[in-house]
Amino acid sequence: MSAHRLETGGRLIDRTRRVRFTFDDAPLRGQAGDTLASALLAEGRMLQGRSFKYHRPRGPVTADSAEPNALMGLDTGARAEPNVRATSVQLSEGMVVHSQNRWPSLAFDVGRIADRLARVLPAGFYYKTFLWPRPFWKHVYEPLIRRAAGLGRAPEGVDPDRYEQLHAFADVVVAGGGVAGLAAAWAAAQGGARVIVLEETGHWGGRAVVDGLVIDGHPAEAWVTATVAALEGLANVTLRTNTSLTAVHDHGYVLADEWPQDAGAGIAAPRQRLWRIRAGRVIAANGAIERPLAFAGNDVPGVMLASAVRDYAVNYGVAVGRRVVVVTNNDDAYRTALALREAGVEVAAVVDARDTLPGPLAQQVRAHGIPIHDGSAIEAVQGDIGVTGVTLCRHSGNGACVSAQIACDAVAMSGGWSPAVHLWSHAGGKVVWDADGAMFRPDPAQGPTGHDGAVFVIPAGAAAGALWGPQALADAHAAGLRAAAETGHPGHTPAPVAEAPEERAILPVWTMPEGAGPRLKSRMFLDFQNDVKVTDVELAAREGFESVEHAKRYTTLGMATDQGKLSNINGLAVLAAARGAGIAETGTTTFRPPWTPLTLGAIAAEARGELFQAVRETPMHAWHAAHGARWEPVGQWRRPHAYVRPGETPAKAVNREVLNTRQTVGVLDASTLGKILVRGPDAGRFLDMLYTGTMSTLAVGRCRYGVMCTENGFVFDDGVVARIDATTWLCHTTTGGAEAVHGWMEDWLQCEWWDWKVHVIDLTEQLAQIAVAGPNARRVLQKLGGMDLSADALGHMRWAAGRLGDFDARVLRVSFSGELGFEVAVPASQGPALWDRLMAAGAEWGIMPYGTEALHVMRAEKGFIMVGDETDGTVTPGDLGLPTGAKKADFLGKRGLERSHLRDPERWRLVGLETLTGSVLPHGAYSVTGGYTDTYQRETDGRVTSSYYSPTLGRGIALGLVRRGPERMGEVLTFPVGAASQMKARIVDPVFFDPQGGRLDG
Amino acid sequence: MLMLTCPCCGVSAEETEFAPGGAAHLRRAGPGTPDDAFEAYMFQRDNPRGVHFERWRHAYGCGKWFLAARCTRTLRVLGTYSARTTEPPADLAAEPPVDLAADLRAPAAEAPA
C-alpha cells in the first residue's frame, strides 16, 4: 500500500483487486472501486490539473461531480474524451489518462507566467486590452488567444463507440439515491406508482453512510442496504446507479445520463445511455453542495472541501494529508476531524470562525484532544504545488495580526452547504434566500408548473434546505407520499426516524478574515477553474457590472465546465457586499440544464450514419443503384443525379443523357413529384384560391400548369394540375414541396374554410411515375400496346387513363424538357415492371435513363423555372413571368401582391444570360453596376439563379433575375468572379432552345 | 417539452408529435383591405406574458389542426379546442390562480389507509 492509502476504511474499494492505469504515461496502480481521483491521491498525486486562465497548479477540491479542478483527458485518438472529472470516473483496468492545460508537463508549466502577471490580468482584461490597433486583433491577438484557449483536446476521428437513447415513462422520478432519495422512493412506491430512482454515483446512500446517520436504530449503511433490497423487490420500481438526472424540462420531461457498466460475457455496454423520461412528478433529492471558504491560498493543492476529505478517508481509505487542518463556519466539518481521527490521521487543529460555545460534535472533537481555534480564520495557506502550513488570525479582523502558524499538508474547509436547487430551477422554479441557514433554497410558492398547472418538481431532503439528517429524512418521506398521491397512487408507510447530533447555527462567511484587504483578497479564489478571485468580482462591481448576470459574464465566474457549482453562491455574496446590497436583492444567476455536461455522442446516439435521417426511395431505386446512379438528395428522397457509365465523368454522363433525350428518347423516374388528389363539390373553388391561375375552368381530361404563393405573395410551389372528373383534380407538386403543399391545403381547409366540401389526400407514394421524353417517346409507348397515344387522341397538356400493355396507367402528355413528353403513372408496385418494359421497348431507339441534372439542363434550355433555384421566398409570379392572377378577385397571396414594393417596376425579373465567350457563369454570381451603395458595398442589379453548360447548344446558358430585366434585352452585364476577374454576359430571352415549341409534337 | 392533448382524437402526447402553427384567431385580410389590416394579419403578433392562443397540428397523429390556450409564464395548458372556432372560448381567456396552498399540502398524509 502506498503512503496515502490508509490501513483501515475504504468501504467502496476492494483491497484484494489491483487496477493498473497510466497518468501522463506513468504506470500507476489503484484498487477496484477507486475513482480516478482517489487512486491518484492514494499514489500521492495531489497535483492533478492546471487552472484555465493562470495555469495555477491544482488538486481536486471535491469527491463528486461538482469538481472544478481535476479535469482529465481519458483515452486517446478516436476514443479520447476531454474534461472528464477525475472525481466522478470509476477507475478501470488499463485506463489511459492525461492531464490537461499544461505544457510541457503538469509539474512544470510555461503557461504559469500568466499567474505571475495576474496583477495585470484582472477581470475584463481581454475586453479592455485587445481593442487596438485594430489589425492586431486578426493577426496577433486572436491566434495567440486561440492557442491558449480551451481545456482538453477534442477526439480525433470517428467515435467507434455505441451510444443509445431510451424512452421511459414514470409517475415519479427520484433524482438522487442518498437516504433522502431512497426514503422518498419507498414512500412513493407503496401505492403502486411507477417509480424510477437515479443515482449519479456507482453506490447508494449518499452522504449519510459517511456521516454516520442512525436510521430506525441502525447505522445508515445497514438501512440503505435493506431499503435498496426492498425497492429491488418491487415490480413498480426501477433503480439505476451511474445515472445522473441532468436536466428537467417543461411538463416533466427529464433527461438522465447513464454510464453503463459492461454487461459481462464479452457484451460491451453502450458507452453512454441517455434516458428521455416523461415524469408525473420529479423528486429532487439531489442533496447539497459544500461551499469552499474564501481565504488567501485556498486553491493550493491540498486544500479541499471538508466533506471530500472525509469521503476519501471513509469511502476509499485514502488520506489526503498526514496532518490536516480543518477550517469551518459550521458544525458539519467537525465530522471530518472525527473521521480523520478514527482513520489514524493527525488533525492539527480545527479553525472555527464562530465565537460561540461548542455543540456535541465540537465536544467530541475536543474530547479527542484536537485543538479548536474559535473566532479564528486562516490568514493564508503556505505552499505552491502543495500545502506546507497555514497561518491563523482573528476572523473578525483584517488579517494583519497573525496569531499562530501551523504546519500541515492538507486543509479541509467548509463554508456551509448550499441546497442543489438546480433541478428545481431548470424548468422555472424560483429560490428564496434563507438568512438563518445562509443558503438559497427552493421557494415552495414558486415551483415549475406542468401542463395542468400543478407544480411537478418536489424538492426533498438537503436539496429542499433540510440539511440536518433527521429533518432531511422526514422531509423526503413526506415528498414521496405527496408525489404518489398527486399522481393518483396514494399509499402509506411509516416514516423512518433518524438520529444525529444537534448542530449549532452556521455563521455566514464570504471572505476570511472578515475584514481582509486587497493583499489577501487577491489570493482568494472563488471560481477555481476560471481563476476568478474576490478582487475580480469587486472590480466588476466597481466598474458598474452590478447585475449578477452581467458580473458573471464579465468575470467568467461560474462559466466553467462545473457551471459554478462551488463558486456561484460565494461569488454573488461577494458581489452583494461590494454593492452594499443584500444577497436576496442581488439574486442568483439562472440555473440552466444540464447539471453535468452531456457529450455530443449521448445527444446524437443512434442518429448518425445511415440512421441519421430516414431516406425515401422510389420503387425503381434498386434499378438506378445497379446502373451507376450518382444520388442527389431532394428532401428525404434520393434521386439519380446522373447515370455514370464506366470510364465516364458525371459531367459527360449529363451531356450524353441530354443529347440522347433530345435526339431520340430518355426516361426519368418522376415518382418523387408530389401527387395530391383534391376532391369535392368545392374543390374547384378551393384550387382557385390556392393557385394564381384558375383551375375550376379546366376541362376534364386536360392539364394546366399552376403556381402557388404564400399569403406574402411569394412563389412557394408549382406543378401541373390535371382535371380528373367533375369534382376531382390531381395536383402535382415539386419533390421537396409535397408535404408542405399538402399541409398548406389541410391548414386552409381545417382552419379557414372548414365549411367547404373538399377532401385532400396525398398519393405521392401510391404511384410510380415515369417520364418518357424525346422525339421517339410515342413510338416507345405505342410498342407496349393498348391506349391510343396519337397526337389526335392525346394532345399536349391532356391526360388519359387506360391499359398500356399490361399496366393500368394514367398517361399525362406534359413536358418539362421541351420534347414530346409523356408521364406514365402506375400503382407503385408496378413501377419496376413498367420501367423494365420501357427500357426493353425503347432499346431499338437507344433509350437511356436520364437524371435530375439532365432534367435541369433541359428545363433551363427551355427557360422553365425551378422552385428553389429561381425562387428563394422573395420572388413573385410576376418576377418570373408566370400567371399573376391579376384578373382574379382573390387567391392566397393576392393581397400580398397588391403591396407597392411587389408592384415596383424596378424589381428584379427573369431573363436569360449568355456569356460573350460561351463560357458558364458561376451559379449565384451577382452583376455589378459600377456604383456603390450608401454602405460602400458594390451596387448590384442582378444575380444568376441557374447556370449550366448546354450540350444541345454547345455553350453556357444561364437564367437570372435582373433589375427591369425584360426591358433591358441585349444589354451586357458585368459579373465579378473571384477577387480580380470578371465575366460579361448579355441579357437574352430565357427560352434558349426551340422557342416556337415545335418539338413538343415530336 | 410540452404535453398537449389533441381535442380531435383525444390523444395526449409529447410536443414532438405536433407541429406548431403560430397565433390562433387571426382574421384574414384579403384583397382590397387597408395596409394596416394586412400588416396586422401577416406580421403583427402579440407576445403576451400570460394566456396565449395558438395553433397546433397533430402532425404525427390524426393530422388535425386544433387550438390551444397556454400560459406563457407557467406553461400551463388551460385547454385545447376545435380549430373551427373564431373567438377564444371565454372560459380559457384568463388563467385561474393556482391554489398554492393545495400544492403545499401533502394529501397522502391525510389519505385514508
Side-chain angles (χ1 to χ4, degrees):
Chain A
M1 289 284 160
S2 67
H4 287 264
R5 187 75 76 177
L6 294 159
E7 295 303 319
T8 58
R11 52 181 282 275
L12 298 180
I13 59 164
D14 179 351
R15 288 178 184 264
T16 65
R17 282 172 55 212
R18 285 271 172 89
V19 177
R20 285 165 300 181
F21 68 108
T22 65
F23 179 61
D24 285 343
D25 303 324
L28 299 174
R29 286 189 297 195
Q31 304 299 135
D34 261 327
T35 64
L36 183 50
S38 70
L40 285 167
L41 288 170
E43 288 275 27
R45 302 263 180 164
M46 175 58 77
L47 177 58
Q48 295 188 8
R50 291 266 172 184
S51 64
F52 181 58
K53 186 174 174 185
Y54 298 142
H55 290 240
R56 286 178 64 85
R58 292 284 166 74
V61 197
T62 73
D64 58 33
S65 66
E67 178 59 34
N69 284 347
L71 303 182
M72 313 263 164
L74 282 196
D75 263 322
T76 53
R79 280 204 167 82
E81 181 162 358
N83 303 338
V84 171
R85 293 169 302 280
T87 49
S88 295
V89 173
Q90 290 286 311
L91 191 67
S92 64
E93 181 66 29
M95 200 173 237
V96 177
V97 186
H98 286 97
S99 58
Q100 301 184 152
N101 207 37
R102 82 287 184 271
W103 186 85
S105 73
L106 187 58
F108 176 78
D109 175 58
V110 169
R112 193 159 181 211
I113 188 136
D115 189 26
R116 310 283 179 234
L117 298 174
R119 280 174 60 86
V120 295
L121 288 171
F125 172 76
Y126 291 88
Y127 301 125
K128 292 165 183 163
T129 308
F130 298 119
L131 292 174
W132 187 91
R134 256 191 115 75
F136 265 52
W137 175 255
K138 186 171 176 190
H139 301 292
V140 181
Y141 300 142
E142 188 179 329
L144 274 175
I145 292 169
R146 281 198 184 281
R147 199 182 316 153
L151 283 169
R153 292 179 58 169
E156 289 161 13
V158 176
D159 192 332
D161 286 320
R162 193 163 61 82
Y163 300 79
E164 67 181 26
Q165 293 187 355
L166 195 136
H167 290 262
F169 300 86
D171 296 305
V172 181
V173 169
V174 180
V179 292
L182 294 174
W186 179 250
Q190 297 309 310
R194 289 172 303 169
V195 178
I196 298 177
V197 191
L198 305 170
E199 165 54 40
E200 181 175 74
T201 70
H203 44 270
W204 300 101
R207 293 226 54 79
V209 290
V210 175
D211 294 351
L213 199 66
V214 173
I215 305 174
D216 290 340
H218 303 287
E221 182 127 38
W223 181 88
V224 167
T225 306
T227 305
V228 168
L231 285 168
E232 277 170 346
L234 295 179
N236 56 324
V237 176
T238 304
L239 296 163
R240 303 303 275 202
T241 53
N242 297 307
T243 308
S244 168
L245 199 169
T246 197
V248 176
H249 293 287
D250 303 336
H251 292 187
Y253 178 67
V254 303
L255 293 180
D257 191 19
E258 179 177 5
W259 291 77
Q261 307 299 301
D262 276 352
I267 302 166
R271 184 150 186 190
Q272 275 178 275
R273 181 181 290 134
L274 189 71
W275 290 64
R276 306 169 61 160
I277 311 173
R278 184 63 74 163
R281 290 291 181 270
V282 177
I283 295 181
N286 52 323
I289 303 171
E290 193 167 26
R291 291 190 294 263
L293 282 166
F295 49 81
N298 66 344
D299 74 323
V300 175
V303 181
M304 202 180 280
L305 292 174
S307 59
V309 171
R310 66 179 184 271
D311 282 351
Y312 286 118
V314 176
N315 285 338
Y316 305 104
V318 171
V320 167
R322 279 294 167 187
R323 187 175 152 84
V324 181
V325 167
V326 177
V327 55
T328 184
N329 63 346
N330 66 83
D331 269 13
D332 185 60
Y334 285 82
R335 293 194 172 94
T336 300
L338 294 170
L340 291 177
R341 169 82 191 190
E342 187 169 325
V345 176
E346 185 184 355
V347 179
V350 175
V351 180
D352 194 325
R354 298 171 298 178
D355 292 320
T356 47
L357 290 169
L361 282 163
Q363 279 168 357
Q364 287 181 48
V365 168
R366 191 158 279 168
H368 283 297
I370 297 170
I372 299 177
H373 299 257
D374 54 9
S376 297
I378 287 183
E379 184 260 349
V381 175
Q382 281 80 51
D384 182 32
I385 58 167
V387 174
T388 57
V390 294
T391 43
L392 305 188
C393 63
R394 295 301 299 166
H395 175 59
S396 55
N398 62 9
C401 186
V402 171
S403 58
Q405 178 150 16
I406 303 173
C408 61
D409 58 357
V411 175
M413 61 178 166
S414 177
W417 290 80
S418 300
V421 298
H422 302 63
L423 302 183
W424 167 261
S425 303
H426 280 174
K430 299 288 186 287
V431 296
V432 63
W433 177 248
D434 178 336
D436 292 337
M439 61 180 168
F440 280 102
R441 57 176 171 74
D443 179 359
Q446 300 185 78
T449 45
H451 67 98
D452 54 359
V455 173
F456 70 88
V457 178
I458 304 173
L467 296 180
W468 189 53
Q471 213 178 5
L473 212 57
D475 181 67
H477 176 77
L481 293 179
R482 178 182 148 195
E486 288 180 359
T487 53
H489 302 279
H492 256 304
T493 182
V497 177
E499 301 156 51
E502 294 289 336
E503 293 181 29
R504 291 176 306 160
I506 184 175
L507 173 73
V509 171
W510 309 118
T511 62
M512 183 176 246
E514 207 174 11
R519 179 182 66 90
L520 295 177
K521 280 181 173 173
S522 67
R523 293 171 60 209
M524 296 177 184
F525 285 82
L526 294 169
D527 185 319
F528 294 105
Q529 194 178 130
N530 275 353
D531 285 322
V532 181
K533 298 165 293 179
V534 169
T535 43
D536 293 319
V537 174
E538 290 181 340
L539 177 69
R542 277 203 304 282
E543 295 189 346
F545 294 92
E546 295 194 345
S547 150
V548 61
E549 297 283 6
H550 291 160
K552 166 183 168 172
R553 282 151 185 84
Y554 190 57
T555 61
T556 72
L557 177 94
M559 288 169 65
T561 59
D562 62 323
Q563 289 287 289
K565 290 191 184 75
L566 300 188
S567 61
N568 270 349
I569 307 300
N570 286 347
L572 69 91
V574 168
L575 180 70
R579 291 175 54 204
I583 291 173
E585 296 85 78
T586 304
T588 65
T589 52
T590 311
F591 298 91
R592 292 194 178 84
W595 157 254
T596 46
L598 283 173
T599 64
L600 293 175
I603 294 168
E606 297 93 339
R608 62 184 206 174
E610 286 190 347
L611 295 180
F612 178 69
Q613 190 188 41
V615 171
R616 299 172 77 181
E617 299 177 353
T618 74
M620 287 77 87
H621 187 91
W623 192 97
H624 305 323
H627 291 79
R630 301 291 166 91
W631 301 105
E632 177 184 4
V634 186
Q636 287 173 311
W637 292 101
R638 292 289 175 277
R639 301 192 70 183
H641 176 84
Y643 300 81
V644 181
R645 293 177 171 179
E648 202 176 41
T649 63
K652 285 216 164 103
V654 170
N655 292 345
R656 170 179 52 75
E657 291 170 11
V658 169
L659 292 173
N660 191 70
T661 305
R662 292 255 184 254
Q663 287 161 7
T664 166
V665 62
V667 281
L668 172 88
D669 183 353
S671 307
T672 61
L673 290 182
K675 295 170 281 286
I676 299 173
L677 199 74
V678 180
R679 171 176 283 173
D682 291 313
R685 177 191 180 195
F686 175 62
L687 292 177
D688 285 350
M689 286 300 292
L690 253 68
Y691 287 93
T692 63
T694 306
M695 296 301 168
S696 57
T697 57
L698 185 63
V700 172
R702 289 186 183 258
C703 304
R704 185 171 285 165
Y705 172 76
V707 180
M708 287 186 196
C709 289
T710 62
E711 276 282 69
N712 234 335
F714 299 123
V715 173
F716 97 96
D717 208 84
D718 70 344
V720 169
V721 178
R723 179 84 179 259
I724 304 297
D725 60 35
T727 58
T728 311
W729 282 254
L730 179 65
C731 301
H732 291 89
T733 75
T734 61
T735 294
E739 282 80 33
V741 170
H742 183 221
W744 178 241
M745 290 176 169
E746 286 287 350
D747 192 349
W748 286 97
L749 285 173
Q750 291 183 34
C751 302
E752 188 76 13
W753 304 312
W754 60 71
D755 52 334
W756 294 14
K757 294 191 175 80
V758 185
H759 180 67
V760 170
I761 189 160
D762 184 352
L763 296 178
T764 304
E765 292 188 341
Q766 311 300 316
L767 299 167
Q769 194 147 319
I770 301 171
V772 185
N776 288 315
R778 185 179 285 121
R779 290 185 188 96
V780 173
L781 288 171
Q782 280 177 335
K783 203 171 161 190
L784 267 61
M787 296 171 68
D788 181 3
L789 300 176
S790 64
D792 293 338
L794 190 65
H796 185 56
M797 294 304 266
R798 288 170 186 262
W799 71 271
R803 290 287 287 179
L804 182 68
D806 305 330
F807 302 93
D808 287 320
R810 180 187 293 129
V811 181
L812 298 92
R813 196 172 149 205
V814 292
S815 174
F816 199 36
S817 59
E819 299 298 323
L820 168 64
F822 299 87
E823 289 195 10
V824 185
V826 294
S829 58
Q830 298 290 302
L834 174 62
W835 184 274
D836 288 342
R837 280 289 290 129
L838 290 169
M839 291 305 292
E844 65 178 281
W845 292 284
I847 196 167
M848 289 179 193
Y850 62 98
T852 51
E853 187 66 4
L855 173 78
H856 284 200
V857 171
M858 287 190 279
R859 67 92 194 169
E861 288 172 344
K862 289 293 297 173
F864 294 140
I865 66 126
M866 177 72 72
V867 167
D869 282 335
E870 276 62 46
T871 70
D872 62 0
T874 67
V875 177
T876 69
D879 297 339
L880 299 173
L882 298 174
T884 61
K887 290 179 185 158
K888 288 174 64 177
D890 193 7
F891 59 87
L892 298 179
K894 170 90 176 171
R895 176 60 185 87
L897 287 166
E898 287 174 354
R899 286 173 296 171
S900 59
H901 179 66
L902 299 197
R903 288 182 286 125
D904 187 347
E906 296 291 312
R907 286 188 68 81
W908 292 12
R909 289 154 66 194
L910 184 73
V911 293
L913 295 166
E914 211 171 69
T915 55
L916 303 188
T917 60
S919 56
V920 182
L921 279 167
H923 188 109
Y926 275 77
S927 63
V928 295
T929 63
Y932 284 82
T933 68
D934 294 344
T935 51
Y936 300 100
Q937 307 290 318
R938 301 171 83 173
E939 188 181 62
T940 58
D941 68 346
R943 68 172 185 273
V944 176
T945 54
S946 295
S947 183
Y948 302 96
Y949 172 75
S950 163
T952 313
L953 304 171
R955 57 178 164 82
I957 58 163
L959 299 175
L961 293 164
V962 174
R963 185 172 57 82
R964 288 184 177 271
E967 301 165 28
R968 295 168 65 188
M969 286 296 156
E971 260 186 57
V972 174
L973 300 177
T974 302
F975 293 85
V977 180
S981 59
Q982 56 185 35
M983 291 174 78
K984 301 261 188 197
R986 181 175 288 116
I987 301 176
V988 297
D989 188 274
V991 185
F992 293 91
F993 180 66
D994 187 28
Q996 281 74 40
R999 301 184 65 86
L1000 284 173
D1001 297 322
Chain B
M1 188 160 64
L2 304 178
M3 290 288 289
L4 295 167
T5 302
C6 173
C8 303
C9 65
V11 165
S12 181
E14 306 217 330
E15 191 176 332
T16 48
E17 197 168 313
F18 301 91
H25 304 302
L26 297 177
R27 203 168 292 266
R28 180 169 182 257
T33 50
D35 277 352
D36 55 355
F38 182 72
E39 185 190 13
Y41 160 59
M42 202 66 217
F43 304 112
Q44 298 294 347
R45 296 291 179 269
D46 291 333
N47 184 16
R49 181 176 163 82
V51 180
H52 184 245
F53 297 96
E54 54 200 19
R55 292 157 22 91
W56 289 89
R57 187 182 181 204
H58 195 183
Y60 298 98
C62 69
K64 294 299 183 192
W65 282 94
F66 62 91
L67 307 181
R70 185 177 62 91
C71 178
T72 59
R73 189 176 59 82
T74 63
L75 299 188
R76 179 176 187 172
V77 180
L78 284 80
T80 54
Y81 54 99
S82 169
R84 303 178 170 198
T85 312
T86 53
E87 299 290 335
D91 60 325
L92 299 180
E95 187 180 23
V98 176
D99 183 359
L100 290 170
D103 274 340
L104 295 176
R105 257 178 258 133
E110 294 91 10

